[in-house]
Amino acid sequence: MKRLLSISMICLLWVSFIQAQDMEKYRSLTTEADALYDKKDFKGSAEKFEAAFATLDGKAYPFHRYNAACSHALAGNKKKAFYHLYRLAENPKTKYRNLSHITQDKDLVSLYKKKRKWKKLIAIVKANKEEYEKD
């Protein structure tokens, strides 16, 4: 029994150590992504955000996902930009609802040309906002 407990504790410590390393890598990559964005290297920024998300098996803080969408949009990758914005809007945990921000953000202007996708996204964000304000 003691041996099983010892093995369990070692495994738990190992998993915690790995997760801490993953978070440190995530933070480092998102910091690099932000710096590249500031230098107007939007493609490089988008790539760093993607690498950061990969360290956490696709998970991301909402503000990083939004920033990744902006970087992708400015780099000309509308498909990836929409991917991240839809993940934010449709995620039950985040339910992105900042309608005024998303509709006024100049980083996303290139997405307006995809009228059907843009209108659907805005409808979801608007519904999220209304649901939040109702509660």
Side-chain angles (χ1 to χ4, degrees):
M1 185 66 159
K2 287 181 182 181
R3 184 176 183 163
L4 181 61
L5 184 59
S6 296
I7 291 171
S8 296
M9 288 300 293
I10 290 170
C11 289
L12 182 62
L13 289 172
W14 181 252
V15 168
S16 297
F17 176 73
I18 296 297
Q19 287 175 339
Q21 284 185 317
D22 290 347
M23 274 309 294
E24 186 56 40
K25 183 72 172 167
Y26 176 90
R27 285 187 194 106
S28 174
L29 288 165
T30 55
T31 299
E32 289 179 55
D34 288 336
L36 289 167
Y37 175 92
D38 291 341
K39 292 178 184 175
K40 302 200 182 317
D41 179 357
F42 304 119
K43 185 175 187 251
S45 175
E47 290 169 355
K48 290 293 181 181
F49 276 120
E50 294 300 325
F53 303 160
T55 65
L56 300 181
D57 296 322
K59 295 177 184 141
Y61 286 109
F63 63 96
H64 288 143
R65 192 166 300 284
Y66 186 92
N67 290 349
C70 290
S71 292
H72 279 294
L74 291 166
N77 191 339
K78 294 177 183 122
K79 185 176 180 177
K80 276 287 196 178
F82 275 117
Y83 168 80
H84 289 294
L85 291 172
Y86 272 91
R87 283 215 43 195
L88 274 175
E90 294 176 335
N91 184 326
K93 291 181 182 177
T94 56
K95 285 193 172 188
Y96 185 82
R97 63 182 178 271
N98 194 338
L99 185 62
S100 63
H101 185 234
I102 198 170
T103 56
Q104 295 175 24
D105 192 333
K106 302 225 184 295
D107 289 354
L108 304 176
V109 169
S110 68
L111 303 181
Y112 298 173
K113 294 176 185 170
K114 299 283 188 179
K115 291 180 182 179
R116 198 174 2 202
K117 282 186 175 185
W118 182 254
K119 285 182 181 180
K120 182 181 175 189
L121 174 66
I122 297 308
I124 294 167
V125 173
K126 186 177 181 185
N128 290 344
K129 181 179 188 274
E130 289 170 355
E131 180 183 332
Y132 177 78
E133 290 173 346
K134 188 171 69 174
D135 290 338

